[in-house]
Amino acid sequence: MKQRPGIMLTLMAGLILGAIGCQPSSSPGPMRVRFGALPILDVLPVYVAQVEGYFVRAGLEVEVVPAASAAERDQLMQAGRIDAMVNDTVSTLFYNKEKAQIYVVRIARQAYPQAPQYFILANPNAGIKSPQDLKGVEIAISQGTVIEYMTDRILERAGLKPGEYRTVNIPRIPDRLQALAEGQVKAATLPDPFATLAIQRGAKVVADDREVRSISLSVLSFRAEVVEKNPEVVRRFLQAWDQAVAAIQANPDKYAGLLSEQKLVPQPLVGTYRLPPYPERALPSREQFADVIAWARAKGLIQEDIPYDRLVREVR
């Protein structure tokens, strides 16, 4: 049966728009972005941009697609069901080993002197007081992730060599937190605010990422296809993101309710947790990615260097 040209054109247009995931700038109405959101502090600017109307004023319709874990978020991205997400430098390497699948367009969070992101903690009964006490000790981590990367770099800076400590793989943060609290492991690496909760429950800080804060960061990434074919939607999203970051910096207490509503901090911390600073309009540097690439190659996680231009894209 012969297809009419009008129907064929309509089908082709629908397929193209579905692949890109966002309306082209010439289309009427708001551009649509699907954002994959883990229940973590790093995504707070998205919720602030929603409640303050920054996305609407930028001509965007942003759908937040919840993801319970990084694995679920990655499945959504790989299936093309989301256009943007917050992830980290280690996972960015895995995405882009063969070709650019995502581009980092902003630093989402980073460590500050007054606000570390990653902590190596000890059970209060383990007798561990300093990094040197970790020699021969098993540290609970999530292998092949930013948790392992930060553990290695924090301890390297503290004077420990690879092989002087051991690790055990406990991928899920709540499980790692529980294993530490119950003494199943003597030490564990946890991100904030789960680290703050563990400390409140008696865990001891052995080391944190303040001494290596230049490499401790999470990133905002878009699907490469969206960045390449529809950069205008990324520009508008970043405009709203930057406005949200400025609003958080100006009055962090105003958004305490969002932390509870969106489950961005553990329930016991609701009402008492102090928001960390958020970086403004920054991109990871070549040196920051060079370090994580060197670590991943030493671990055998990637086999060759990945060009910076395949990882990061400045969208103006």
Side-chain angles (χ1 to χ4, degrees):
M1 180 177 176
K2 189 175 181 181
Q3 294 280 1
R4 285 183 294 172
I7 293 175
M8 290 299 294
L9 287 173
T10 301
L11 288 172
M12 290 175 63
L15 289 171
I16 292 169
L17 285 177
I20 297 175
C22 309
Q23 294 175 335
S25 58
S26 59
S27 296
M31 300 179 182
R32 185 166 176 262
V33 177
R34 301 162 299 177
F35 182 85
L38 290 171
I40 54 176
L41 282 176
D42 312 53
V43 303
L44 178 61
V46 169
Y47 293 113
V48 171
Q50 280 190 321
V51 300
E52 297 291 1
Y54 300 145
F55 285 138
V56 172
R57 290 200 286 277
L60 295 178
E61 178 186 324
V62 175
E63 176 191 358
V64 175
V65 182
S69 66
E72 182 181 339
R73 176 207 61 199
D74 290 342
Q75 289 171 358
L76 291 169
M77 178 61 77
Q78 289 161 358
R81 292 171 57 192
I82 58 175
D83 306 303
M85 64 181 178
V86 168
N87 62 306
D88 57 74
T89 53
V90 175
S91 63
T92 301
L93 301 186
F94 297 147
Y95 268 101
N96 293 0
K97 280 197 297 186
E98 304 296 333
K99 64 177 183 178
Q101 296 192 69
I102 62 174
Y103 285 119
V104 172
V105 296
R106 275 289 186 278
I107 294 176
R109 275 192 65 203
Q110 64 188 42
Y112 289 90
Q114 73 277 26
Q117 278 205 112
Y118 296 98
F119 294 75
I120 300 176
L121 304 173
N123 179 278
N125 301 316
I128 297 172
K129 298 179 180 179
S130 73
Q132 297 303 316
D133 295 331
L134 291 170
K135 289 183 177 180
V137 171
E138 209 167 51
I139 305 169
I141 63 165
S142 177
Q143 289 179 350
T145 71
V146 68
I147 292 291
E148 184 176 15
Y149 171 53
M150 293 311 304
T151 300
D152 287 346
R153 288 300 190 245
I154 290 169
L155 293 181
E156 178 183 62
R157 185 60 179 264
L160 270 67
K161 298 177 181 178
E164 290 187 326
Y165 55 92
R166 295 177 294 139
T167 59
V168 58
N169 188 34
I170 305 181
R172 292 185 70 250
I173 293 172
D175 295 343
R176 214 178 313 141
L177 178 64
Q178 183 177 357
L180 179 67
E182 295 179 353
Q184 298 171 21
V185 293
K186 291 184 177 181
T189 302
L190 289 170
D192 202 46
F194 291 94
T196 296
L197 179 59
I199 294 165
Q200 283 191 1
R201 293 177 173 176
K204 304 299 181 183
V205 178
V206 182
D208 59 47
D209 60 0
R210 281 178 288 188
E211 293 299 317
V212 292
R213 61 182 182 273
S214 65
I215 59 169
S216 180
L217 46 93
S218 63
V219 294
L220 171 64
S221 301
F222 267 79
R223 272 196 301 127
E225 190 173 19
V226 176
V227 176
E228 291 167 353
K229 295 185 177 181
N230 201 358
E232 179 63 23
V233 78
V234 184
R235 288 190 197 96
R236 296 187 185 198
F237 190 97
L238 289 177
Q239 175 187 342
W241 174 281
D242 293 340
Q243 287 177 308
V245 167
I248 295 168
Q249 304 293 61
N251 189 3
D253 292 341
K254 180 179 179 181
Y255 304 106
L258 280 176
L259 300 181
S260 173
E261 179 184 333
Q262 302 299 338
K263 298 180 173 60
L264 303 185
V265 299
Q267 188 59 36
L269 298 182
V270 171
T272 62
Y273 184 75
R274 186 179 181 85
L275 273 176
Y278 284 76
E280 298 181 7
R281 304 187 184 208
L283 284 170
S285 67
R286 293 179 182 273
E287 292 73 20
Q288 286 169 318
F289 260 115
D291 186 80
V292 73
I293 288 169
W295 173 84
R297 290 198 64 175
K299 289 282 183 180
L301 300 174
I302 60 174
Q303 304 307 314
E304 58 186 25
D305 289 349
I306 301 174
Y308 179 78
D309 293 344
R310 195 196 295 171
L311 302 167
V312 177
R313 180 69 61 91
E314 184 175 11
V315 180
R316 301 184 181 210

